[in-house]
Amino acid sequence: MAAKQRDIRALEAVNILSGAIFASERIPSGESVAERRRARQEWFTRAVQRLAEADLVFVYPDNGLEPDGYSYGSAKAGKSILLSELQELARPGRCLIVYHHQTRRKGGHNGEIEYWADRLRECGFTTVDALRAKPYSPRVYFLLNAPSDIRQRAGRLEDHWQGWITWHPDAGAVAPIQATGVARRP
């Protein structure tokens, strides 16, 4: 793999993940505004079909989750994954790991993790964990409906990387306190 080659197809070509299924076709974004919606829907249908047998799906859009005011007509429409697309990728027994490049959302980076965790739970994901990498530009990896073994491994990364990666189990989840009925963050 070339030093600065930032393309999932490079990872696929070196076969570092033996047995992995790749849906490495680029998100279409060069079409006219009128064609972008149709082209993206066709692209996504192909990706879903290609990943039909996968129990773990890693989604790595360039910028991450859909920004506020997302539009198919935007020049950056191909750089994000839509929440509706994540819902379509979800199925019983499947874990999704989703990359998101953090922004300057009000509330800071941890507030942004909580914001997206709440939105993802509203989409039907029962557990929304997060690993946040701090060096250079901050990024977060959301683990959606991850089984306990993956959650445990992810949690151990925080200890191994000593502050460079932080673990946010079921990020932003509000758990009730039974004695008082008051909600708290775990």
Side-chain angles (χ1 to χ4, degrees):
M1 186 166 15
K4 292 187 179 183
Q5 190 173 2
R6 295 180 58 200
D7 190 323
I8 198 71
R9 291 177 289 189
L11 184 60
E12 182 178 11
V14 296
N15 197 29
I16 195 168
L17 300 170
S18 180
I21 301 167
F22 287 85
S24 54
E25 179 184 346
R26 286 187 179 270
I27 299 172
S29 60
E31 294 81 13
S32 68
V33 173
E35 290 289 315
R36 286 184 185 150
R37 178 182 291 265
R38 181 196 55 75
R40 185 179 181 112
Q41 289 170 339
E42 290 173 359
W43 161 83
F44 188 70
T45 297
R46 289 188 300 275
V48 168
Q49 290 169 347
R50 178 90 173 114
L51 300 171
E53 300 301 317
D55 291 332
L56 175 73
V57 175
F58 182 57
V59 181
Y60 198 92
D62 193 36
N63 290 348
L65 300 167
E66 67 184 69
D68 293 337
Y70 176 88
S71 167
Y72 282 102
S74 166
K76 294 185 178 184
K79 294 182 173 267
S80 302
I81 186 79
L82 304 178
L83 296 179
S84 61
E85 291 170 341
L86 292 177
Q87 286 175 298
E88 194 170 335
L89 283 170
R91 68 160 208 237
R94 175 181 277 173
C95 171
L96 302 179
I97 300 175
V98 183
Y99 168 83
H100 177 68
H101 187 86
Q102 290 200 278
T103 64
R104 295 181 180 175
R105 178 175 291 281
K106 185 177 179 179
H109 292 137
N110 287 338
E112 183 173 7
I113 290 171
E114 290 179 14
Y115 168 82
W116 283 113
D118 289 344
R119 299 256 340 254
L120 290 161
R121 271 192 289 281
E122 288 169 7
C123 290
F125 293 99
T126 55
T127 58
V128 180
D129 304 303
L131 281 168
R132 179 174 178 260
K134 293 182 182 181
Y136 313 112
S137 59
R139 60 202 58 116
V140 64
Y141 297 87
F142 288 102
L143 285 71
L144 309 177
N145 295 345
S148 61
D149 64 321
I150 290 177
R151 296 177 81 203
Q152 290 169 359
R153 289 180 199 180
R156 288 194 299 260
L157 285 174
E158 182 176 47
D159 292 334
H160 180 77
W161 287 95
Q162 301 174 355
W164 289 100
I165 293 177
T166 55
W167 171 238
H168 305 263
D170 215 8
V174 176
I177 298 174
Q178 293 181 338
T180 62
V182 175
R184 67 173 175 85
R185 296 214 184 267

